[in-house]
Amino acid sequence: MWRNTQRGWGIVSILLHWLSALAIIGLFALGWWMTGLGYYDSWYNQGPWIHRSIGILLLFATLGRLVWRLFQPTPRLEGRRLEVIAAHLGHIGLYAAVLLVMVSGYLISTANGRGVSVFGWFEVPALLQNFPNQASLAGDVHWYSALTLMLLAAGHTLAALKHHWFDRNKTLVRMMNPVHAQRSARGVN
């Protein structure tokens, strides 16, 4: 149940998928809310600290997820050929947008040469810094890539719901239930 099969996702992939989805939505909402904070607001420093900390943890989880994917089978996608191609391109776009959002966020946070504290547990050092206009350029990339990520995530969600409600296939069920993957592997539905 922990590992993927050709027919379904394992627990590790499912947990990483849903925790990432929650973190991405939460980070987007928090980031949007933070843009309206005033200097004297009590969350002016706390909000960005939480945003950066969760963002770094999500970066590590995403890198781990990509490594996990390299060593695990990917369940066969259901649907017509064009849908399968669109799904592959959509997944590549989602991963690219997630990484772009996180790398640009890191570049914003480290533009002053200081590392990023992750909830006070550890610090990620500033490896790249002092580029001309680093914070503002990375800020623009961060904002537009976050918007792109939300659009891709909405499309991903709509596609999953379409497969579930209209096509009545197991695409969504496989991402929610590792037991289904194990039953399918044994030929039991």
Side-chain angles (χ1 to χ4, degrees), residues 71-148:
F71 297 103
Q72 291 294 301
T74 301
R76 191 179 76 73
L77 294 172
E78 297 183 32
R80 295 182 297 272
R81 180 167 161 64
L82 188 58
E83 289 176 320
V84 170
I85 291 169
H88 281 299
L89 293 174
H91 285 111
I92 290 168
L94 281 166
Y95 278 114
V98 166
L99 291 170
L100 189 58
V101 168
M102 290 184 290
V103 169
S104 60
Y106 169 80
L107 290 173
I108 296 166
S109 301
T110 58
N112 60 7
R114 290 193 307 251
V116 179
S117 171
V118 178
F119 293 118
W121 301 334
F122 61 92
E123 185 170 300
V124 177
L127 300 174
L128 302 170
Q129 62 201 22
N130 298 324
F131 293 110
N133 300 318
Q134 179 175 332
S136 66
L137 290 174
D140 288 342
V141 170
H142 193 67
W143 173 247
Y144 290 111
S145 58
L147 289 174
T148 300

Side-chain angles (χ1 to χ4, degrees), residues 7 179-189:
R7 295 177 176 250
V179 173
H180 173 76
Q182 298 304 313
R183 283 185 190 156
S184 293
R186 291 189 306 260
V188 179
N189 280 329

Side-chain angles (χ1 to χ4, degrees), residues 15-28 50-66 94-95 97-99 101-103 118-119 121-122 142 149-150:
L15 285 175
L16 287 171
H17 175 271
W18 291 110
L19 289 173
S20 296
L22 287 172
I24 289 166
I25 293 166
L27 285 169
F28 186 79
I50 292 169
H51 186 83
R52 286 188 299 268
S53 294
I54 294 172
I56 292 291
L57 293 176
L58 180 61
L59 174 60
F60 292 153
T62 301
L63 294 175
R65 188 174 175 189
L66 287 169
L94 281 166
Y95 278 114
V98 166
L99 291 170
V101 168
M102 290 184 290
V103 169
V118 178
F119 293 118
W121 301 334
F122 61 92
H142 193 67
L149 176 58
M150 288 297 103

